[in-house]
Every structure is written in structure tokens, then in C-alpha cells.
Amino acid sequence: KPYQHKSLFSGLRMAAIDYRQLEQNIESVELNIRNRNATADARRVAALYKQFCALTFNAGELRKLRNENAALMKRAAQMSAEERSSAVAEGKRIKQQIADLEAELAAVEEEMEREAAKIPNATHPDVPIGEESNATVLEVRGAPRDFAKEGFEPRDHVAVGEALDLFDFDAAARISGAKFYFLRNAAALLEVALVNWALNECVKQGFTPMTAPDLAREAVVSGCGFNPRGEGSQVYTLSDSDLCLVGTAEIPLGGYFADQLLEKSALPVRMAAVSHCFRQEAGAAGAATRGLYRVHQFTKVEMFVLCAPEDSETEHAQLRAIEQRLFDALGLHYKVLDMPTHDLGAPAYRKLDIEAWMPGRGAFGEISSASNCTDFQARRLNIRYREKLKDNRYVHTLNGTACAVPRMILAILENFQNSDGSVTIPEVLRPYMGGMDIIRAPSVATAAVK
């Protein structure tokens, strides 16, 4: 087992996949790569693994010869000058062969694992094949509000929020650039309320509440299946450093148990963390993404689970149930989607998205997702558990969004706006808003602080 003693932080590369399983199921792996529209060459990886195994065997044989030569040299005093010279020359030759072979082995291993890292996770058999439009609707909850019956046309969250002095995009653009924002007045209180409420609800479900660093090492980011650098990366990186701004608390929570061996009795581990999230969102533009819908920085409460492999589908269903309880409590109209292969990314075995109706946008918009990543992240992060003595296995990891604050604020403003321009605060949030039940335009004195 050539990867048994490697660790994420040792500088040694982790095994991205089970290479023996790849060899035995090469055709199904290739089909999965095509279905997920990924760029990977399974046969190249299998060939590199075969070469790696052969080189590893040859290196072992050479080390045996080196040991035999070393044992022979212990009797150098009993040798003739010719025998001693021959043994010394043979030792040097073996030493050079080992050095050459180890250099070749390291190069092959590096390429093998670089190519293997491109292979996506396996896919749940119920996941639909193809593009996002092929998503399967698993459930629809609630009903859209009949604004026409109430006698007014719903506005989008930007118009609602600007009239109530809830945010300032222009000032943020001057300071930080496009897709940043200031939350003001009741919107600032609403962010704190949403975070506290969501975190408390997670605690009721057995999750450990946490805060998480906003920075993570590249090894942790890539270990979670995100591309920290290069074309198409959504990750902000720090120059002259291996640190990245995290796009989700999933990353630091995944890294929390990197290189750890857990007892099975300690599973499942359930954590819920508050963090800032940073995403480049390259290429995202247009009316559908304006305002708070797609931004570079936001606050989120993220759930993260480590469990035994046989429990991961049950834990996935539990994450979905928690998310739905939260959105039911807010009174949102939403649908649950089983996302198709093109939308899974590399880590997810299965991903369930929840989209809420946003009447100002005139469309559903994603507010949450829950993913079962099986052992994809655990392999890269080296997170294992002890099944029994001398039987250590990789855990399964899962993640789910309890509350992505900007999308929640958007959904609340658009769904609970009133004809007079005010917004009714969902009842479950009022205790966290100091008893405020309606957001109204601030006083003239407050509005002047701009």
C-alpha cells in the first residue's frame, strides 16, 4: 500500500483515487467521465499506475541488492583486494541505479496523481445525465404568493432594498469594486438574525457550532476538490503565499480533520460553521445576477458531516430535511432538485439543490445545496476511521447550506414585500431582530448617514 503513510501536510501527495478499482472498472470510469463532461484520461492513469507499480517493485529489488552488498562489505577485511574493489564498485553502481530509479519513480508518481486528480467522483445511479436543465424535481413546497390578487406588482429586491435604505452597492463599488455591497439598517440586523437563527437550528439537530478561518492552504482547498489556481478557478489566492480565501466553510471544516484517524464510535461528526465566503464568479453578469444574487463576498452557515460509508446516504437525506425545515419555517415557496451530472462538480456523488421562488426576478433561484462527496475528499485530505484493528478506512464527507445570507435576504425582501413598500419579517426571525416585525423606511436622520 504505497500511500498508507502519506499525509496532507507532509508535502507528500495523497492518492486521489483507488487505483486498483480503476484498473478493474476502467470502462465504467470512462463512461462516468463522459457523463460528467469532465476532462480526464482514465486509461492514461491506469497505464501510469502500472508503470508506477513496476518501478516500485524494481526499486525494492535494488534495495535488496544494496542490503546484500552492505552485508558483504562487513566481511571486507577477509576479502582479497580484487574482491573488495569489486564489491565497492558494485555498491556504487547499485546506489546510482536506485537514485536514478527513484527519480523516475517520483516523476511517474507525480504525473499519475496529477492526472488522477482530474477524475471526478463516481455518480449515484439516480442522478440524471446531462446539463442543468435535466435536473429532476423531487419535491415542491408551498405556493407562490398571488400579488395580483393583492393589487400590486412585486418589485425586485434591489428596488425594495433601495427604497428602504437597506444596502449600498455604489459605495461598495468605489471601495472594493463591482459585486460587493454594504448592508445597512434592518438589512444588517437581518444578516445577524439569519446567522444566529440558522446556527441555533443546526445545534438543535446535533451539530457542533463553530466559526472557521477565512483563509486556507492550497493543499486543503485542492483536497476538498476545488481548483485554487489556473483557468476557470473561482478562488482568490494571496500572492507570495499558499493561502487562499475560502469560498465556503466546507473547506476549513474538511481540513479540520485532515490526517486524522477517528474511532468509528466517534462518527458521525456533525459541524455547522459561520464563515465569510469569497468567490471570483468569473463571467457572471446580467440582470439575473444583479444585486445580492451573485456577489464576491458573503456570509454563510454551512453544515459539514463525516460519517461511515454505510451511513452517508442517510446523512444526505438528513441534510436535505434540515434545509427544508429551515425554508418551511421562513414560509418560502421552493423546489428540491436532483442535479444532473454536468452540475455536480468533481467531488459530489450526488447533489440536491433547493431553489426558492423569487417573484421580483420572476424565477426560481438557488438558495441551498446538499452534497454527498463519499470518500472523494477524505482520500485527498487523508481522513480515516478505524473500522477494526488494522482496518482503517476513509470516511465519507457531506456538506449542506443552512443559510447563504444574501440569497436569503433577497428571498425575504421579494416574497414578503407589502404594497406600501415595507417588508414583513418572517416570524421565526423576529426574536433575533429585537422584536421588529416589519421593515419600514428609516427616519430622515438615519437615512442621512450616507
Side-chain angles (χ1 to χ4, degrees):
K1 297 181 180 179
Y3 309 102
Q4 187 174 358
H5 303 296
K6 290 189 174 182
S7 67
L8 179 72
F9 299 114
S10 69
L12 298 173
R13 294 172 297 278
M14 299 303 302
I17 61 172
D18 185 331
Y19 291 99
R20 294 185 180 90
Q21 190 176 69
L22 170 68
E23 284 188 316
Q24 296 165 5
N25 301 279
I26 190 74
E27 291 184 356
S28 63
V29 173
E30 287 184 314
L31 177 61
N32 185 57
I33 290 170
R34 290 195 297 272
N35 285 343
R36 294 176 72 130
N37 199 31
T39 304
D41 188 340
R43 292 191 184 272
R44 175 60 179 160
V45 175
L48 287 165
Y49 178 62
K50 185 175 182 179
Q51 186 180 0
F52 171 79
C53 291
L55 291 170
T56 300
F57 176 81
N58 292 341
E61 293 298 301
L62 282 173
R63 292 187 188 100
K64 289 180 184 178
L65 292 177
R66 180 184 61 188
N67 293 340
E68 292 172 2
N69 178 262
L72 181 64
M73 289 302 297
K74 290 179 180 179
R75 305 195 305 272
Q78 304 168 15
M79 298 179 186
S80 67
E82 184 178 347
E83 288 173 333
R84 188 163 54 250
S85 177
S86 175
V88 169
E90 178 66 5
K92 289 181 179 179
R93 184 184 67 81
I94 294 172
K95 181 180 179 181
Q96 185 59 52
Q97 284 184 313
I98 290 175
D100 293 343
L101 192 57
E102 286 180 342
E104 183 181 1
L105 181 60
V108 169
E109 183 183 17
E110 182 177 2
E111 183 182 0
M112 176 183 73
E113 296 196 358
R114 184 175 62 249
E115 294 301 315
K118 299 176 184 178
I119 296 177
N121 200 353
T123 305
H124 190 285
D126 292 343
V127 169
I129 307 298
E131 299 178 353
E132 184 177 353
S133 58
N134 292 341
T136 301
V137 178
L138 299 179
E139 187 176 359
V140 178
R141 297 290 287 267
R145 183 175 163 190
D146 190 348
F147 285 94
K149 187 176 181 180
E150 297 181 37
F152 74 101
E153 185 77 17
R155 297 177 295 168
D156 73 6
H157 72 285
V158 176
V160 172
E162 286 180 345
L164 295 174
D165 194 17
L166 297 182
F167 31 66
D168 193 328
F169 295 104
D170 293 336
R174 291 195 304 270
I175 296 163
S176 305
K179 297 184 183 176
F180 288 92
Y181 57 93
F182 281 99
L183 294 181
R184 292 170 48 84
N185 300 310
L189 298 177
L190 190 55
E191 167 158 327
V192 177
L194 282 164
V195 167
N196 286 335
W197 169 70
L199 196 60
N200 283 334
E201 292 301 309
C202 289
V203 170
K204 291 177 185 178
Q205 301 300 320
F207 284 75
T208 299
M210 302 178 70
T211 61
D214 290 337
L215 292 166
R217 299 184 187 279
E218 286 187 19
V220 177
V221 176
S222 59
C224 288
F226 298 92
N227 174 24
R229 296 185 186 271
E231 186 178 352
S233 175
Q234 298 293 330
V235 179
Y236 286 105
T237 57
L238 274 63
S239 60
D240 302 320
S241 170
D242 71 339
L243 291 172
C244 307
L245 289 168
V246 300
T248 168
E250 171 191 347
I251 294 170
L253 292 180
Y256 191 88
F257 284 98
D259 291 337
Q260 301 296 306
L261 176 61
L262 307 174
E263 294 298 331
K264 191 173 185 180
S265 60
L267 300 175
V269 175
R270 300 186 180 102
M271 300 174 284
V274 181
S275 79
H276 294 114
C277 305
F278 303 87
R279 301 180 184 180
Q280 292 198 43
E281 300 290 4
T289 64
R290 83 187 195 109
L292 295 175
Y293 191 81
R294 198 174 300 281
V295 291
H296 289 313
Q297 177 185 340
F298 60 96
T299 305
K300 180 158 69 87
V301 178
E302 182 77 0
M303 298 178 287
F304 194 83
V305 178
L306 295 86
C307 68
E310 63 268 23
D311 296 329
S312 65
E313 293 209 32
T314 299
E315 292 292 330
H316 197 199
Q318 176 69 358
L319 288 176
R320 170 187 169 182
I322 292 170
E323 292 174 347
Q324 289 194 237
R325 276 195 291 271
L326 292 170
F327 306 139
D328 286 340
L330 289 174
L332 297 177
H333 168 46
Y334 64 86
K335 58 183 178 180
V336 184
L337 303 173
D338 198 348
M339 300 308 292
T341 51
H342 288 194
D343 197 61
L344 294 181
Y349 172 68
R350 190 179 196 182
K351 182 164 78 83
L352 305 178
D353 280 4
I354 294 180
E355 295 185 353
W357 176 247
M358 299 175 178
R361 298 176 77 240
F364 284 93
E366 182 188 342
I367 57 171
S368 180
S369 69
S371 298
N372 182 358
C373 297
T374 63
D375 66 353
F376 185 92
Q377 295 174 327
R379 285 181 171 277
R380 290 158 169 77
L381 295 169
N382 192 30
I383 311 174
R384 296 173 296 159
Y385 73 97
R386 197 191 317 274
E387 175 68 26
K388 56 186 177 182
L389 187 63
K390 296 183 179 181
D391 184 7
N392 300 332
R393 305 181 184 181
Y394 291 107
V395 301
H396 280 194
T397 62
L398 303 95
N399 63 82
T401 308
C403 179
V405 170
R407 299 277 177 96
M408 283 293 92
I409 291 177
L410 186 161
I412 289 170
L413 296 182
E414 295 196 359
N415 282 285
F416 305 123
Q417 59 183 291
N418 301 310
S419 59
D420 64 356
S422 66
V423 174
T424 301
I425 298 170
E427 188 172 348
V428 292
L429 297 179
R430 293 173 192 175
Y432 301 91
M433 295 282 291
M436 184 188 299
D437 58 354
I438 295 179
I439 301 174
R440 303 185 188 279
S443 65
V444 175
T446 304
V449 184
K450 265 197 175 184

